Amino acid sequence: MVGASDRNFYTSNLLRRLAKNPEIRVVPVNPHRDTVYGEPTVPSITDAGSMLDLAIIGVKADQVLPALAQAAEAGVPAAVVISGGFAESADPSGRDLQNALAEFVAETDMRVLGPSCLGMINVHAGIEAFAGHQGPPVIPGKLAVVSQSGANCHSFIYGAWRRAVGLSYVASTGNEVDIRATDLMAHLVDDPATTAIAAFLEQVQDLDAFEEVASRCLELGKPLVLMKVGRTLASSMAASAHTGASPGSDAVFKALFEHYGVIRANTIDQLLDIAPLATSEACRMGSGSRRVFVVSVAGGSASAVADLLDDQGMELPPLAAGELRSIVPANVALQNPMDVSTEARRRSPHAWRAVVSALAEAAAGGWVLVVEASPFEDGDRAHLEELVESSGSRIVCASIGDGLRLWLDGGRAELAEVAGQPVPVVLGLRAAVDGMSSMATFCAVRRRVRAARTRAGVARTPVPPVALERLRRVAKRAGVVGEADLGPVLDALGIRRPRQLMSSEPGSLVRFAADEGLGPVVLKGPVDGVAHKSELGLVRLNVQGPAAIQQATLDLQQRMSTFPQARPPYEVILQEQVTGLCEVVVSASRLDAGRVVVTLGWGGKYVELLDRTARRLAPLTTDDVSGLLEATRLEPVFAGYRSDPPGDRAALARLLATVGALAIEAGPALEEIELNPVIVQPAGSGAVAVDALARTGDANRDG
């Protein structure tokens, strides 16, 4: 331990933590002290003897590189650098010092964690090479924690202790000059002692490595629960100041998370609330069912949880009375959620167990939520675990109030007994609902992609060369491109559009409408660089009859003349007004990592207001399309909502695949293409792209 000192907060913490394990030999290195915490020191690493496994560096930033060089010369294979003052510093010299560390790592075989990190804890091996302050005990368990923020490791440890969540590893990666968070996650996903990974990330330096981790977690059924910051400008700036991180486009991560079932948490508390379910084999290996039966000892909790479940898209099936009427007191209503009352719970534990048993059978692979103040009464745990095994349903206990802590602090259970059990116990209703919803989504995604296919193995939709040629001609003038220019591209792709004509002559538009036998029509005034025509008075709807068409054309031309970039003769688009089952938005975007993301959502002018969108990485599969429909809650439209006929799923699937393939093949020439709205027709009748917009890039770059 280089820089060990009685007065150094971090090295003092390290010495106390490492001293817990008598099998660990610690050699303090300090040329100015004879002893540190009673341990004899040596003046340098070269005096520390042989058989050293790890060097912990806690000296000033400009002294770190010489210390690492000494360690490498002494044959030390790995180092943890807790020293700060590198790229995270406001001092420009810090970046230079970190670059020098990176060059050193590249030239040696030594692996380095940090700098500006707090180290790591291997819980099951009893190795606490962690400089954080002494807090509550770390409970041995199955959740591995990886954090780029060292201070947040304290929040993980304390929060896990409060919830009786057991941990397998805790690691702080800091500035990641060598070992990255993705490196640790790649190791941990195959660790038999770890069944779920929790991470706090400010940046991802290697997106391919992250994608491999996410794919592997999904394949093995080990949930990856992340708090990824950097969604806003303020958050990005804070991340940069903290670890020198460049967070990257959040759209990339949204797409990856949705595709691989990565669970995103907004706070560490929310992440740890999900953890008991994520580490439970029964919950993480489920069917993806969202059916929930609830039994509670409090009527208020039963009502509240019903609302929470609905918010998360969980289902509360009706409860069949069956034999329950003869089991429960007459004053207990047989409904879902069921309020059995605390009094009935205490007076008749046999009836309580019979109710839970009946609900577990009714759930048929779904969920049973047991709401109590204390998690278990005598014998309940064994009974519930047997139910999980026999029924195939998932049972979750929500401890309301602070019942779990009171139960534990009262000595009725050991922390390690609660952690990682088949029947997880969570603190409160919100935690239970978040956990069930997250795991249902994870399991549903896992079922869809269980074949463990790679993205390279997905067959791509062919893009006609003429479509690419037309797009590249349009892209020669980079910027926002509207439907007038994109029309020929869409036609070459076989994307259906409304019957239409563009002309500056009102008479020509009137004749076209008559010749085509069009009823109500739409007229649009295309202006270069204008993305949202309706907001700027450049769209007229429900126009019918020659006089109305002529007047609308003149009005639009007058409006177009007020835009400085518009030039006479002000051509107007007349388009048949298409109706259908619903409007959706379909888009494909090339992100800053070079990946293409396809987005589906409810469309029209309310697309931003509704914000009901979902994303998948291109190229798409049939399963991806199903996932998009489920995530956006468009599935009922395509199944036939109420008296409506089913929507044309096949046509929408072709459209999604086509725009994704176009964005892939076009390369940097196309940054984004959006079709909004797309009018979905009944099955067999197709889907019509009513409007289109694109942002083009550099057509001369190699895609």
Side-chain angles (χ1 to χ4, degrees):
M1 187 181 300
V2 183
S5 168
D6 297 324
R7 295 178 297 177
N8 186 307
F9 173 77
Y10 296 106
T11 59
S12 296
N13 290 337
L14 276 158
L15 284 166
R16 286 195 292 268
R17 285 181 175 277
L18 290 167
K20 297 176 186 177
N21 189 334
E23 296 182 7
I24 296 176
R25 179 174 68 96
V26 179
V27 183
V29 177
N30 189 326
H32 308 294
R33 297 280 190 278
D34 293 331
T35 62
V36 172
Y37 273 96
E39 294 289 333
T41 65
V42 296
S44 70
I45 295 178
T46 54
D47 300 310
S50 60
M51 302 298 290
L52 295 173
D53 298 297
L54 179 68
I56 300 175
I57 312 296
V59 295
K60 292 180 179 179
D62 59 357
Q63 299 173 14
V64 169
L65 187 55
L68 284 175
Q70 279 193 3
E73 185 178 349
V76 183
V80 173
V81 180
I82 63 174
S83 308
F86 293 89
E88 83 285 357
S89 170
D91 187 343
S93 65
R95 175 67 65 180
D96 296 334
L97 289 171
Q98 184 158 316
N99 290 338
L101 287 186
E103 291 176 5
F104 167 82
V105 169
E107 294 170 356
T108 67
D109 294 329
M110 175 180 281
R111 301 308 307 267
V112 176
L113 186 66
S116 189
C117 77
L118 289 183
M120 50 74 65
I121 302 174
N122 182 333
V123 182
H124 294 290
I127 301 172
E128 296 191 23
F130 186 70
H133 59 71
Q134 303 294 315
V138 181
I139 311 166
K142 302 174 183 178
L143 179 71
V145 172
V146 178
S147 175
Q148 290 174 333
S149 163
N152 276 343
C153 288
H154 296 126
S155 300
F156 277 111
I157 292 170
Y158 177 79
W161 170 80
R162 182 171 178 268
R163 294 167 176 81
V165 171
L167 306 177
S168 57
Y169 288 86
V170 179
S172 158
T173 62
N175 294 9
E176 300 187 356
V177 73
D178 176 27
I179 298 174
R180 299 171 176 174
T182 47
D183 296 329
L184 293 178
M185 290 190 288
H187 169 76
L188 293 168
V189 71
D190 288 312
D191 172 48
T194 298
T195 58
I197 299 173
F200 176 91
L201 300 182
E202 294 174 331
Q203 66 169 331
V204 174
Q205 297 187 48
D206 187 340
L207 207 60
D208 289 330
F210 177 83
E211 188 172 359
E212 288 176 10
V213 168
S215 177
R216 183 68 173 156
C217 283
L218 193 66
E219 178 186 350
L220 296 181
K222 296 187 176 185
L224 178 56
V225 191
L226 292 184
M227 183 177 172
K228 171 66 180 70
V229 300
R231 286 182 290 182
T232 64
L233 177 61
S235 177
S236 298
M237 292 173 65
S240 180
H242 183 206
T243 61
S246 176
S249 169
D250 197 62
V252 179
F253 296 105
K254 284 182 178 178
L256 285 171
F257 293 173
E258 291 177 9
H259 185 85
Y260 290 108
V262 177
I263 301 165
R264 188 171 201 168
N266 293 318
T267 65
I268 292 175
D269 279 335
Q270 184 186 20
L271 188 155
L272 290 170
D273 284 341
I274 296 168
L277 281 76
T279 53
S280 164
E281 182 172 359
C283 295
R284 65 189 177 86
M285 294 295 188
S287 64
S289 171
R290 304 188 79 84
R291 291 163 47 89
V292 185
F293 287 89
V294 181
V295 58
S296 173
V297 296
S301 296
S303 301
V305 80
D307 290 337
L308 293 173
L309 288 165
D310 184 71
D311 290 343
Q312 292 284 4
M314 305 296 279
E315 304 172 23
L316 281 167
L319 183 63
E323 298 179 358
L324 285 176
R325 185 72 280 169
S326 62
I327 297 173
V328 300
N331 64 335
V332 174
L334 296 181
Q335 61 187 22
N336 185 23
M338 181 187 293
D339 169 25
V340 175
S341 82
T342 303
E343 181 182 4
R345 166 77 169 99
R346 290 175 176 171
R347 291 175 61 179
S348 181
H350 171 74
W352 172 263
R353 293 176 188 173
V355 168
V356 177
S357 298
L359 296 183
E361 293 299 326
W367 300 87
V368 175
L369 177 59
V370 179
V371 181
E372 292 199 75
S374 296
F376 302 113
E377 297 295 340
D378 292 342
D380 281 345
R381 178 194 294 280
H383 172 248
L384 294 179
E385 291 179 359
E386 289 172 5
L387 281 179
V388 170
E389 183 70 26
S390 62
S391 69
S393 297
R394 282 87 203 145
I395 301 177
V396 177
C397 289
S399 176
I400 52 179
D402 209 16
L404 174 61
R405 282 308 329 163
L406 294 172
W407 187 61
L408 291 168
D409 294 344
R412 298 178 68 184
E414 294 292 331
L415 288 168
E417 289 180 7
V418 179
Q421 295 299 317
V423 179
V425 181
V426 295
L427 279 175
L429 302 178
R430 168 67 71 182
V433 173
D434 282 351
M436 289 189 296
S437 176
S438 297
M439 296 316 301
T441 299
F442 172 79
C443 293
V445 173
R446 185 167 184 260
R447 289 190 70 188
R448 288 201 300 268
V449 296
R450 202 164 182 178
R453 59 172 175 80
T454 62
R455 303 226 58 75
V458 180
R460 294 184 179 181
T461 300
V463 178
V466 64
L468 291 172
E469 180 56 34
R470 290 176 180 178
L471 177 64
R472 292 189 174 111
R473 283 203 297 267
V474 171
K476 287 182 178 178
R477 49 187 182 87
V480 177
V481 178
E483 61 181 315
D485 292 313
L486 285 175
V489 178
L490 302 183
D491 292 340
L493 290 168
I495 294 175
R496 182 180 164 193
R497 298 192 296 144
R499 290 175 289 171
Q500 59 190 283
L501 177 70
M502 187 165 73
S503 174
S504 61
E505 296 294 333
S508 298
L509 298 176
V510 169
R511 286 191 296 274
F512 175 79
D515 292 344
E516 293 292 325
L518 302 181
V521 296
V522 177
L523 286 102
K524 307 175 186 179
V527 175
D528 286 347
V530 172
H532 302 292
K533 296 186 287 293
S534 59
E535 296 176 9
L536 298 174
L538 293 169
V539 177
R540 300 290 187 272
L541 300 173
N542 296 309
V543 181
Q544 191 162 9
I549 292 174
Q550 183 157 354
Q551 186 59 52
T553 303
L554 294 174
D555 290 345
L556 285 173
Q557 289 175 328
Q558 173 60 33
R559 179 62 179 148
M560 293 168 70
S561 70
T562 64
F563 291 84
Q565 69 269 40
R567 294 288 183 269
Y570 305 126
E571 291 187 303
V572 172
I573 299 173
L574 180 143
Q575 193 177 79
E576 70 171 316
Q577 188 159 308
V578 180
T579 60
L581 298 175
C582 71
E583 296 182 357
V584 300
V585 56
V586 172
S587 71
S589 306
R590 175 170 289 272
L591 303 175
D592 55 7
R595 284 166 170 74
V596 169
V597 170
V598 175
T599 301
L600 173 68
W602 292 82
K605 65 180 180 180
Y606 298 119
V607 58
E608 289 89 359
L609 181 63
L610 292 171
D611 193 26
R612 189 69 63 79
T613 58
R615 303 159 190 83
R616 292 292 184 272
L617 295 173
L620 300 184
T621 67
T622 302
D623 287 337
D624 288 329
V625 175
S626 297
L628 289 169
L629 292 176
E630 291 173 11
T632 54
R633 299 193 183 180
L634 278 163
E635 182 62 44
V637 175
F638 288 84
Y641 185 65
R642 293 189 174 178
S643 60
D644 288 341
D648 198 328
R649 178 192 291 262
L652 180 64
R654 286 194 299 272
L655 185 58
L656 289 164
T658 297
V659 296
L662 176 67
I664 291 173
E665 296 298 331
L670 181 63
E671 294 181 4
E672 180 180 19
I673 182 169
E674 177 182 288
L675 309 180
N676 182 30
V678 173
I679 309 297
V680 176
Q681 307 286 307
S685 300
V688 185
V690 171
D691 206 345
L693 184 73
R695 284 187 300 110
T696 59
D698 186 350
N700 297 314
R701 284 170 54 196
D702 182 8

